[in-house]
């Protein structure tokens, strides 16, 4: 199975949570759309009613304010949903977290091995230099 097309079976609680997120999304988008359509209808409407033109205008203005408030509420709800989804992903994406930990561990192990090799080489060079210095000291006529 390719890593890009992995199929995951979610526990019941996660599945229910994701379904509730989906329901919230659909409800908020539906609310925004309905309120926007109704606002447009109010803007286009000719007043052929029994009430006075001023009263109708005030009533339409109030309804437009209410519908605008409903659209703002739905937009804020959608932004909260996005924040909730981000938080859910961060807190529950164990696969990515484990992958990052594994990659870091491998990187640190390879760095450790490289440092160990360099230290061994340095130790060997220092041992040879020390041996040469001791040899020079003990065979010197100036001791």
């Amino acid at each position: 199975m390719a890593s890009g097309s992995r199929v995951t079976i979610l526990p019941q609680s996660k599945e229910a949570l994701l379904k509730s997120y989906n329901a919230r999304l659909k409800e908020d988008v539906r609310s925004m759309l309905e309120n926007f359509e109704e606002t447009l209808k109010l803007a286009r409407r000719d007043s052929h009613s029994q009430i006075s033109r001023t009263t109708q205008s005030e009533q339409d203005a109030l309804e437009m304010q209410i519908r605008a408030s409903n659209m703002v509420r739905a937009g804020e709800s959608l932004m909260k949903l996005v924040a909730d989804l981000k938080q859910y992903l961060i807190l529950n994406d164990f696969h990515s977290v484990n992958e990052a930990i594994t990659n870091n561990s491998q990187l640190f192990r390879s760095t450790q091995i490289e440092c160990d090799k360099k230290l061994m080489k340095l130790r060997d060079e220092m041992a040879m230099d020390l041996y040469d210095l001791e040899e020079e000291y003990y065979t010197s006529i100036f001791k």
Side-chain angles (χ1 to χ4, degrees):
M1 187 182 310
S3 64
S5 64
R6 70 173 187 230
V7 175
T8 57
I9 298 173
L10 299 174
Q12 197 68 16
S13 62
K14 287 183 182 180
E15 188 174 326
L17 182 64
L18 293 176
K19 283 182 180 179
S20 75
Y21 285 160
N22 196 20
R24 281 174 51 191
L25 172 68
K26 288 179 181 179
E27 175 62 27
D28 289 336
V29 170
R30 184 196 55 75
S31 174
M32 287 183 86
L33 181 62
E34 284 179 1
N35 283 294
F36 186 71
E37 287 173 347
E38 291 300 319
T39 302
L40 289 177
K41 286 178 187 176
L42 284 172
R44 289 187 283 192
R45 182 166 63 188
D46 292 330
S47 54
H48 297 310
S49 65
Q50 300 290 337
I51 56 178
S52 73
R53 189 176 189 101
T54 307
T55 307
Q56 185 65 47
S57 295
E58 288 296 321
Q59 182 180 348
D60 290 348
L62 179 61
E63 188 174 344
M64 282 185 184
Q65 287 176 354
I66 292 170
R67 293 202 178 275
S69 295
N70 288 343
M71 286 189 287
V72 169
R73 183 211 47 82
E76 288 174 346
S77 179
L78 286 171
M79 291 190 325
K80 172 76 169 108
L81 177 63
V82 169
D84 289 348
L85 285 169
K86 286 179 181 178
Q87 181 180 7
Y88 175 81
L89 182 64
I90 289 169
L91 295 178
N92 294 305
D93 192 11
F94 297 119
H95 177 73
S96 295
V97 171
N98 288 338
E99 189 175 312
I101 290 170
T102 302
N103 289 341
N104 283 338
S105 295
Q106 290 173 350
L107 174 68
F108 295 145
R109 280 191 195 111
S110 65
T111 304
Q112 177 187 5
I113 291 169
E114 186 179 321
C115 288
D116 286 347
K117 287 179 182 177
K118 287 180 180 179
L119 285 172
M120 295 294 249
K121 182 179 177 186
L122 184 61
R123 181 199 67 184
D124 293 343
E125 289 175 1
M126 288 178 70
M128 288 190 324
D129 289 343
L130 183 60
Y131 178 77
D132 290 344
L133 287 172
E134 285 176 347
E135 183 80 24
E136 184 67 32
Y137 176 78
Y138 291 122
T139 58
S140 170
I141 56 172
F142 299 109
K143 52 175 191 173

